[in-house]
Amino acid sequence: EKGGYEHFMMKEIHEQPKAILDTMNSKIKDGRIDLSDMGLSEEDIKNISQVFIVACGSAYHTGVVTQYVMEDLARIPVRVELASEFRYRRPILNKNDLVIVVSQSGETADTLAGLRLAKEQGVKTLGIVNVVGSSIAREADNVFYTLAGPEIAVATTKAYSAQLIAGYMLSIEFARVRGEITEEQYTGYITELQTIPDKIGRILEDKERIQWFAAKQANAQDIFFVGRGIDYAICLEGSLKLKEISYIHSEAYAAGELKHGTISLIEDGILVIGVLTQPELYEKTISNMVECKSRGASLMALTTVGNYSIEDTAEFTVYVPKTDEHFAASLAVVPLQLLGYYVSVARGLDVDKPRNLAKSVTVE
Ligand code: F6R
């Protein structure tokens, strides 16, 4: 049942190209994105005044990526909200807003409560859901199904990747309908998306290198992830993956925030992982990494093929293939999933069933 892998998590990491392809193909007709089965007309899309993305945990992290991508491509204001916070404030929703709830299981209590609150206020709702027939799938006005298949490991991987794809497709289509991108850009983005599964396959071929590095981190006490923009969103997920299955304390920081407090924690031997996939932010994040190094940190960099100058700064560098920078999270997350996995294995822990966690959080 684990398909020859030692753990479900590793099996599911390898199922990501297929999860992405299936999710993408379900919405592509004749080379174009077709959302006609989702009850969102072009008129509806043009009229959206604000998008709220409501979710928990890793699903929330995909929302953070979607916020950057959708705002940049479609120029619609997007707010990402932790469902457990959203439900207990009195969020200000207007009739032309769209509330997107993201959930693998479709049963997360806080996310479901957020969905119900939006519906009570008469706002259009869209679920990005993996489990067919789940509560969120049944109650949302419309559903974008991620076709990741059943996910068994508590730590999500392939559902996360499929949620990202759903977020990109909505962003690209909204951008086209609202006239924010040209026809050429539109088809270019779709073509680029279709290259992602193979690129993930290439990253997976190199997993032993990450295994080697992970084994050396087995006794780490604290690990920090830093990045800006989409790279910060990747850090959030990388840090959660690591801590939930390895039980090593880790934090994700927007790189520019380090000097507002956290840098006081940096001392000899602490590992700082810099994520650098956004060319216009490279230099800024590198300078934050250098500040950590001068306080004794050792540095790992996760960046794009070609950005070799980072080797002057970082002791260990992982390269992912080039893609359009909007979609970089889909590639950069994979080495971080592998890192969390291999650190957990090196520590002899129960990778698929980490302590204190449940696959589906149906109580608050
Ligand atoms: C982390 C993880 C959780 C879930 C969160 C939301 O690896 O799996 O953070 O992402 O509990 O679950 P769903 O997506 O089922 O609502």
Side-chain angles (χ1 to χ4, degrees):
E1 26 143 40
K2 291 180 195 150
Y5 294 100
E6 211 175 319
H7 300 96
F8 283 108
M9 184 177 174
M10 189 52 105
K11 173 175 178 261
E12 290 163 3
I13 286 173
H14 282 80
E15 286 171 347
Q16 292 182 112
K18 180 173 182 333
I20 288 172
L21 212 60
D22 289 349
T23 302
M24 208 154 53
N25 287 343
S26 74
K27 294 280 183 289
I28 292 188
K29 309 249 151 56
D30 301 325
R32 305 183 73 81
I33 297 169
D34 181 355
L35 303 178
S36 60
D37 62 343
M38 283 186 6
L40 277 178
S41 68
E42 296 214 343
E43 208 49 37
D44 294 332
I45 293 171
K46 282 185 189 141
N47 286 334
I48 296 171
S49 52
Q50 180 162 224
V51 170
F52 286 81
I53 303 177
V54 178
C56 301
S58 294
Y60 168 82
H61 297 159
T62 71
V64 179
V65 175
T66 301
Q67 177 188 42
Y68 285 110
V69 176
M70 191 176 281
E71 287 198 338
D72 194 54
L73 293 182
R75 308 303 296 158
I76 303 175
V78 179
R79 287 178 67 154
V80 207
E81 304 260 358
L82 291 165
S84 55
E85 291 293 315
F86 180 79
R87 66 178 293 192
Y88 290 120
R89 326 192 247 106
R90 292 191 299 136
I92 301 164
L93 302 173
N94 293 303
K95 72 172 186 347
N96 286 332
D97 292 345
L98 172 66
V99 173
I100 302 178
V101 294
V102 188
S103 176
Q104 186 284 126
S105 62
E107 302 295 348
T108 300
D110 286 322
T111 312
L112 182 58
L115 169 67
R116 288 179 176 159
L117 183 123
K119 286 186 70 181
E120 276 161 25
Q121 298 199 22
V123 177
K124 245 192 193 331
T125 59
L126 169 65
I128 297 178
V129 182
N130 196 48
V131 176
V132 176
S134 58
S135 302
I136 293 174
R138 281 184 278 115
E139 294 190 28
D141 296 323
N142 293 291
V143 182
F144 188 137
Y145 278 111
T146 50
L147 302 182
E151 195 177 60
I152 310 293
V154 164
T156 183
T157 53
K158 61 177 180 169
Y160 169 94
S161 284
Q163 288 162 355
L164 284 183
I165 294 297
Y168 302 153
M169 295 184 89
L170 292 170
S171 302
I172 295 166
E173 186 62 6
F174 288 4
R176 182 192 66 79
V177 171
R178 294 167 70 105
E180 295 290 343
I181 53 174
T182 63
E183 178 63 22
E184 198 185 337
Q185 287 173 309
Y186 176 73
T187 50
Y189 287 134
I190 295 172
T191 307
E192 186 55 37
L193 272 189
Q194 289 169 320
T195 69
I196 287 177
D198 280 350
K199 288 175 182 169
I200 291 179
R202 274 193 261 153
I203 296 169
L204 292 174
E205 280 166 18
D206 223 13
K207 61 181 190 249
E208 277 75 23
R209 232 183 126 242
I210 293 170
Q211 181 174 23
W212 169 84
F213 181 75
K216 300 203 300 179
Q217 310 308 323
N219 297 315
Q221 304 260 312
D222 308 275
I223 296 181
F224 292 87
F225 292 76
V226 300
R228 292 168 184 254
I230 288 173
D231 290 332
Y232 169 54
I234 299 166
C235 287
L236 291 170
E237 179 61 6
S239 172
L240 180 62
K241 283 288 85 92
L242 180 79
K243 72 174 68 141
E244 69 177 328
I245 55 177
S246 76
Y247 316 152
I248 292 174
H249 167 248
S250 85
E251 291 187 40
Y253 254 77
E257 276 290 294
L258 275 171
K259 55 174 65 130
H260 296 285
T262 307
I263 201 159
S264 68
L265 294 171
I266 303 295
E267 55 187 24
D268 265 357
I270 285 198
L271 176 64
V272 174
I273 301 176
V275 180
L276 306 136
T277 68
Q278 307 291 304
E280 74 280 19
L281 299 170
Y282 281 166
E283 293 308 320
K284 299 274 177 204
T285 301
I286 291 173
S287 81
N288 298 123
M289 291 168 72
V290 169
E291 284 162 354
C292 293
K293 191 174 180 172
S294 69
R295 287 162 180 81
S298 64
L299 300 181
M300 168 182 150
L302 173 56
T303 190
T304 309
V305 167
N307 187 24
Y308 302 117
S309 63
I310 189 67
E311 289 182 22
D312 301 341
T313 310
E315 287 111 76
F316 180 70
T317 304
V318 174
Y319 295 98
V320 293
K322 282 204 172 99
T323 183
D324 183 274
E325 66 199 56
H326 296 94
F327 312 139
S330 290
L331 302 183
V333 75
V334 178
L336 299 183
Q337 295 167 341
L338 292 168
L339 181 68
Y341 174 88
Y342 284 124
V343 174
S344 177
V345 170
R347 286 164 71 92
L349 300 173
D350 191 348
V351 178
D352 285 336
K353 283 198 173 54
R355 66 188 181 198
N356 309 341
L357 292 171
K359 181 65 182 161
S360 169
V361 184
T362 54
V363 290
E364 333 182 19

